[in-house]
Amino acid sequence: MRPDQFVFLFRSILAVVLFSALPVFAAAPTEAQQLGIITKLTGRLIPENHYRRQALDKQSSSAIFDMYFKMLDPNKIYFTQKDIEAFEPQRAKLDEQMRDGNVTFAFEVYERFRKRVDEYYAYAEKLLNSKKLDFTVEESFVPDRRKEARAKDEAELHELWRKRLKNDVLYFRLTRRALDEEMKKSSGKEKTEKKLETASSAAAKTRKDDDLAAVRKLWQKRTPEEKVLTRLRDFANDIRQKEKIDVLGIFLTAFAQTYGPHSDYLAPKMDDDFEISMKLSLSGIGATLTSDDGYIKVVDLVPGGPADKEGHLKVEDRIIAVAQENGDPVDVIDMPVSKAVQLIRGAAGSRVTLTV
């Protein structure tokens, strides 16, 4: 059976289950009722049909609680320990709430997350516009904070934000310097090259130089401080614009992930992406990508795929910019993986340039 046939069969079965389980409403169900129905059915279907047969109980409730915070704030930048403690009374109640179709917890936590993201952007705007970052002071910051403790309170959180912003600005400065040095190196090679080039190798070199120049131009458009603020603003806008069904999708994905790393809940927008990939109307680079501290990280390369054949992209590389054929490079730092994949994916045979 082909994958698309399996998906169609599964959805047909699911449609029958949903149809038989839907309550009867005198009028069309409200948005809140629809969200409740989705939560109830997901809370029933996954435990009953997943191969682990893991019951939705108090132990599951605690795992869902931790996973939801992990999905929203994997690098422990936004929630303080006090925030977690404020929601702690609900840790053992999520199983009952899901069976009742109660999604209050999901939206309350997300609202706290949205508030923290807005606060971070406001803090960054004030600090970076003040030009008071001191790079002569010797201090350190751990970019990968997954194994670090959360900030105890807002004062400790603000100090963490200061160091992270300082690290980000320094990163952009060093990247710009590296691009300048690469351009000088490329220019120097061109002047000292004495052997004859074939037409194809000359064309390849010209294309590489053009790509490098385009990326360098992208990084010179704004100062490092402006670039940091731009991506934080875009991230904050993305968080603010999520609809309730999207927020519920994050929560139900956290629920599914407690059954294993390869178990997911497909929200409507993700389902659309899945449909596109099944129809094979668009092609990718042959790489598995994930989000890691705001960067799009390469997890795996498909043997024989475009990236594997090209040879430069490696596992653990972090993609910082994407340029489709004949298009300008787009900064993908802090961009959701699904959105970055849309930029990377294109018609079969088309060309995409990645800056890593």
Side-chain angles (χ1 to χ4, degrees):
M1 180 179 288
R2 300 198 318 271
D4 57 334
Q5 291 176 321
F6 173 78
V7 171
F8 176 76
L9 177 62
F10 177 76
R11 288 182 177 173
S12 298
I13 295 172
L14 182 60
V16 173
V17 174
L18 293 178
F19 182 77
S20 63
L22 287 176
V24 178
F25 293 96
T30 64
E31 181 184 33
Q33 290 171 331
Q34 291 177 17
L35 298 177
I37 292 168
I38 293 171
T39 304
K40 280 184 181 181
L41 292 174
T42 306
R44 193 175 80 187
L45 288 171
I46 291 183
E48 290 178 356
N49 294 280
H50 197 278
Y51 77 94
R52 289 183 61 185
R53 298 287 177 175
Q54 176 181 304
L56 180 57
D57 52 20
K58 300 303 177 186
Q59 184 177 351
S60 297
S61 178
S62 181
I64 297 167
F65 182 93
D66 291 332
M67 185 62 75
Y68 189 44
F69 282 102
K70 181 180 178 181
M71 290 201 71
L72 289 175
D73 186 20
N75 219 29
K76 301 176 182 176
I77 291 294
Y78 299 106
F79 291 114
T80 65
Q81 188 56 41
K82 282 189 175 182
D83 289 329
I84 306 300
E85 291 170 359
F87 290 103
E88 192 67 29
Q90 298 191 62
R91 176 183 287 275
K93 299 177 180 179
L94 301 184
D95 56 328
E96 298 173 9
Q97 292 176 9
M98 288 188 68
R99 280 192 287 269
D100 293 338
N102 182 349
V103 290
T104 303
F105 170 80
F107 294 121
E108 287 181 347
V109 171
Y110 189 84
E111 179 58 26
R112 181 71 60 92
F113 173 60
R114 185 203 59 74
K115 179 174 177 288
R116 284 279 184 264
V117 170
D118 283 344
E119 289 173 354
Y120 182 36
Y121 177 67
Y123 178 90
E125 195 172 33
K126 182 177 180 180
L127 178 65
L128 297 183
N129 287 335
S130 71
K131 308 293 184 182
K132 290 184 178 180
L133 286 177
D134 186 358
F135 291 95
T136 64
V137 178
E138 185 175 336
E139 54 187 358
S140 62
F141 173 75
V142 180
D144 186 350
R145 291 187 39 78
R146 286 172 293 187
K147 295 182 180 180
E148 302 294 316
R150 291 189 182 277
K152 295 178 182 178
D153 50 31
E154 290 190 31
E156 194 170 304
L157 186 66
H158 287 181
E159 177 63 8
L160 177 64
W161 287 352
R162 183 188 67 80
K163 288 184 177 180
R164 189 184 191 223
L165 289 167
K166 184 176 179 180
N167 181 77
D168 288 351
V169 170
L170 181 60
Y171 164 77
F172 281 123
R173 287 186 180 184
L174 293 175
T175 300
R176 177 185 268 183
R177 182 187 298 177
L179 285 169
D180 289 341
E181 291 177 355
E182 189 68 23
M183 286 293 293
K184 290 178 183 177
K185 188 188 302 182
S186 178
S187 177
K189 283 183 179 179
E190 185 177 345
K191 291 178 181 179
T192 58
E193 188 65 55
K194 294 181 180 179
K195 65 180 180 180
L196 293 175
E197 292 180 327
T198 64
S200 60
S201 63
K205 184 180 183 306
T206 299
R207 189 168 66 181
K208 181 180 178 181
D209 289 345
D210 289 344
D211 289 341
L212 185 60
V215 172
R216 183 168 178 262
K217 183 179 179 181
L218 169 71
W219 285 76
Q220 288 182 327
K221 281 183 178 180
R222 296 186 297 272
T223 66
E225 290 80 4
E226 289 171 338
K227 286 187 70 64
V228 171
L229 286 176
T230 297
R231 67 184 177 89
L232 289 181
R233 181 200 63 207
D234 292 344
F235 179 67
N237 286 339
D238 182 68
I239 296 302
R240 290 189 208 105
Q241 291 168 8
K242 285 200 184 319
E243 299 176 359
K244 287 188 175 181
I245 188 65
D246 299 319
V247 176
L248 180 63
I250 299 172
F251 176 72
L252 293 180
T253 298
F255 165 54
Q257 288 277 298
T258 63
Y259 284 79
H262 303 295
S263 299
D264 289 290
Y265 167 83
L266 282 182
K269 290 179 182 177
M270 293 175 64
D271 188 52
D272 290 341
D273 287 343
F274 182 78
E275 286 286 356
I276 291 173
S277 64
M278 291 305 296
K279 291 175 181 176
L280 301 180
S281 58
L282 296 175
S283 297
I285 59 172
T288 302
L289 308 176
T290 189
S291 179
D292 183 21
D293 187 26
Y295 297 93
I296 306 300
K297 187 176 76 172
V298 179
V299 177
D300 191 24
L301 297 177
V302 178
D308 182 49
K309 288 181 178 179
E310 196 277 337
H312 283 90
L313 195 65
K314 305 296 181 185
V315 172
E316 297 295 325
D317 277 350
R318 296 182 178 191
I319 301 171
I320 59 176
V322 177
Q324 275 290 347
E325 194 164 12
N326 300 320
D328 293 328
V330 178
D331 186 346
V332 296
I333 297 176
D334 270 341
M335 183 180 289
V337 174
S338 58
K339 190 173 180 180
V341 168
Q342 289 174 5
L343 291 175
I344 295 171
R345 191 170 53 193
S350 62
R351 183 166 164 265
V352 63
T353 301
L354 307 179
T355 305
V356 301

